């Protein structure tokens, strides 16, 4: 696998938030050229780091089904692949599986069980599903965007004005935010001074 750097990781974080961002938008947010972004994306896809760009469906669309988890035993697991109602298959011994089945009613569930020929050990209705957003576990040597030191372990990730920043510790993160807030205040103050000067000129001419 190709060695990744901080630009690769920032690119991954941006795409995890919004996979529909255009190359020009990614280039602007990361402060690099479009050919650089295009090259990095091609590299990440070729290496299998990025395996696809997906969509997130409205949870309302999933509520048409009842999702049931089953612990089953089978010597013919390939049979489960034939049923589109089986939306997830997890094996934890040579013949034992935890599967998730999406059905409209118990009659459909019975047909799936009979069709696959599995031995059902336990049935567990799933009352609520919450998808946890996972951070990419990639060990990348890169520097803190505040102090410049190399980050050891998991970085603190901060998105500010459509850009991604990495910090080595809470202190650097806090100081960065403080510095940004001060810059915003100075900028706002300068804008007010310019506006007041224009208003004064307009009043004098009047």
């Amino acid at each position: 696998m190709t060695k990744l750097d901080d630009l690769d990781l920032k690119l991954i974080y941006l795409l995890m938030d919004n996979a529909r961002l255009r190359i020009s938008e990614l280039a602007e947010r990361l402060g690099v050229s479009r050919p650089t972004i295009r090259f990095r994306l091609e590299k990440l896809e070729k290496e299998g780091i990025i395996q696809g760009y997906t969509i997130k469906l409205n949870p309302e669309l999933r509520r048409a089904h009842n999702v049931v988890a089953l612990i089953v035993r089978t010597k013919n697991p390939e049979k489960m692949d034939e049923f589109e109602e089986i939306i997830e298959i997890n094996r934890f011994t040579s013949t034992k599986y935890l599967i998730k089945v999406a059905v409209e009613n118990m009659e459909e569930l019975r047909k799936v069980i009979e069709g696959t020929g599995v031995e059902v050990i336990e049935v567990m209705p799933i009352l609520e599903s919450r998808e946890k957003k996972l951070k990419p576990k990639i060990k990348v040597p890169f520097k803190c965007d505040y102090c410049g030191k190399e980050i050891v372990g998991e970085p603190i990730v901060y998105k500010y004005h459509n850009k991604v920043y990495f910090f080595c510790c809470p202190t650097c993160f806090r100081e960065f935010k403080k510095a940004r807030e001060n810059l915003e205040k100075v900028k706002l103050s300068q804008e007010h001074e310019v506006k007041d000067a224009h208003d004064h000129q307009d009043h004098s001419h009047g």
Side-chain angles (χ1 to χ4, degrees):
M1 187 181 286
T2 301
K3 190 175 180 182
L4 303 179
D5 60 18
D6 59 335
L7 180 58
D8 292 320
L9 195 53
K10 286 180 179 180
L11 184 55
I12 289 167
Y13 268 100
L14 285 174
L15 289 171
M16 281 172 65
D17 262 2
N18 183 0
R20 295 183 64 189
L21 286 171
R22 294 192 298 269
I23 286 176
S24 57
E25 291 173 309
L26 291 166
E28 183 183 347
R29 295 184 185 193
L30 293 171
V32 296
S33 68
R34 280 179 288 182
T36 298
I37 294 295
R38 193 174 289 110
F39 171 77
R40 293 300 181 109
L41 285 174
E42 286 172 1
K43 180 190 76 170
L44 292 169
E45 289 167 6
K46 187 178 176 183
E47 289 293 323
I49 309 287
I50 294 176
Q51 297 184 345
Y53 300 86
T54 186
I55 60 169
K56 187 161 185 162
L57 290 175
N58 188 316
E60 291 294 327
L61 293 175
R62 300 180 183 181
R63 288 181 190 162
H65 297 290
N66 298 302
V67 180
V68 181
L70 305 174
I71 295 177
V72 301
R73 188 178 282 116
T74 179
K75 291 181 179 177
N76 187 17
E78 294 80 15
K79 194 74 180 167
M80 294 189 288
D81 294 330
E82 298 174 13
F83 289 80
E84 62 180 22
E85 292 90 347
I86 298 177
I87 57 174
E88 192 175 311
I89 301 173
N90 304 277
R91 181 169 70 86
F92 52 96
T93 72
S94 59
T95 59
K96 213 169 179 182
Y97 293 80
L98 169 66
I99 64 173
K100 288 183 183 177
V101 188
V103 290
E104 293 287 355
N105 49 52
M106 294 308 290
E107 177 61 21
E108 280 191 15
L109 180 61
R110 184 184 65 77
K111 287 179 181 175
V112 171
I113 293 169
E114 288 180 357
T116 55
V118 298
E119 176 194 345
V120 178
I121 299 168
E122 192 173 348
V123 180
M124 297 163 286
I126 295 175
L127 302 178
E128 181 187 2
S129 291
R130 285 187 295 125
E131 186 181 350
K132 186 176 179 183
K133 199 163 186 179
L134 299 175
K135 294 178 183 176
K137 295 286 182 185
I138 306 171
K139 292 193 184 235
V140 177
F142 51 89
K143 293 178 180 178
C144 173
D145 283 318
Y146 184 75
C147 71
K149 290 180 183 174
E150 189 168 304
I151 298 174
V152 179
E154 285 289 310
I156 295 171
V157 183
Y158 177 57
K159 296 180 184 71
Y160 179 82
H161 283 191
N162 293 328
K163 292 191 177 180
V164 183
Y165 298 91
F166 293 154
F167 303 101
C168 62
C169 64
T171 302
C172 284
F173 176 44
R174 188 171 59 249
E175 291 301 316
F176 175 86
K177 285 180 75 177
K178 196 186 295 179
R180 287 286 166 177
E181 285 167 8
N182 289 338
L183 276 173
E184 291 289 342
K185 284 176 187 173
V186 170
K187 188 178 175 185
L188 203 62
S189 175
Q190 288 174 343
E191 287 173 358
H192 278 306
E193 285 176 11
V194 170
K195 186 177 181 300
D196 288 344
H198 280 306
D199 290 344
H200 181 70
Q201 280 182 343
D202 292 341
H203 185 70
S204 299
H205 288 306

